[in-house]
Amino acid sequence: MLQVGQEAPDFEAESSQGKIKLSDFKGKKSVILYFYPKAFTPGCSRELQRFTELYDEFKEHNVEIIGVSVDSLSSVKKFSEKYNAKFPLISDKEKKIVTAYGVLNEKGTSAQRVTFIIDENGKIINILDKLKKAEEHADRALEVIKSKK
């Protein structure tokens, strides 16, 4: 897995809101890049709901949120619609992004639940993993963002 202080690998991918390129945010916004194992599972649903609930607060701090899973594009679009996600969810079916970030699970079937906090310069400033509850990722990421200001 990548480490704090490293440059976040750039990527271009299809999402629930069209094509996204990480480098488009460089110099403009910080990015919360969170990886989740599987759409519509209880933990992933709670995590998406919590990021959605806190979305306006993240925006106040000039932060963009992007969710990533290896689910199909149609699945991430349905997942996004069901929970009214205000931010893009990426379909990484080819597993290029999860591999670049070192978060592919041991079986090679899905992403591990890991959240990367990336600053405006494209550097990883914090990594959240091994939290007890999926929805804690949103709250902890917001705490990190607030502490950096």
Side-chain angles (χ1 to χ4, degrees):
M1 188 161 59
L2 297 172
Q3 303 295 313
V4 169
Q6 284 186 286
E7 186 87 18
D10 195 16
F11 58 80
E12 187 171 340
E14 286 297 333
S15 82
S16 56
Q17 298 181 1
K19 203 166 270 226
I20 288 186
K21 195 171 182 184
L22 183 64
S23 57
D24 288 345
F25 299 103
K26 199 168 180 179
K28 301 174 199 162
K29 298 181 177 195
S30 295
V31 175
I32 304 294
L33 184 67
Y34 84 94
F35 293 86
Y36 62 96
K38 185 100 176 106
F40 300 105
T41 57
C44 295
S45 296
R46 286 193 310 272
E47 185 177 26
L48 175 58
Q49 287 173 297
R50 191 64 184 142
F51 271 113
T52 299
E53 287 167 6
L54 296 174
Y55 181 76
D56 291 336
E57 218 170 324
F58 279 108
K59 291 304 270 186
E60 287 173 19
H61 292 279
N62 201 29
V63 175
E64 186 56 61
I65 302 168
I66 303 170
V68 182
S69 75
V70 300
D71 294 315
S72 69
L73 185 58
S74 64
S75 184
V76 298
K77 283 182 176 180
K78 288 175 190 162
F79 190 45
S80 177
E81 288 167 16
K82 179 174 181 176
Y83 292 106
N84 299 311
K86 299 176 183 177
F87 50 86
L89 298 180
I90 288 177
S91 167
D92 185 25
K93 199 87 178 121
E94 306 294 315
K95 301 176 184 160
K96 290 179 181 172
I97 303 168
V98 294
T99 301
Y101 281 78
V103 298
L104 189 62
N105 71 0
E106 289 175 11
K107 295 178 185 174
T109 55
S110 67
Q112 298 174 58
R113 189 178 316 282
V114 180
T115 300
F116 292 87
I117 302 169
I118 303 164
D119 71 9
E120 303 83 20
N121 302 311
K123 294 267 191 253
I124 298 168
I125 59 169
N126 204 309
I127 300 169
L128 305 173
D129 64 347
K130 297 180 179 48
L131 299 181
K132 289 195 184 345
K133 294 181 178 175
E135 58 270 28
E136 286 181 47
H137 282 255
D139 293 288
R140 292 283 302 281
L142 188 58
E143 286 172 18
V144 170
I145 293 294
K146 286 179 173 181
S147 73
K148 297 289 180 196
K149 299 293 174 194

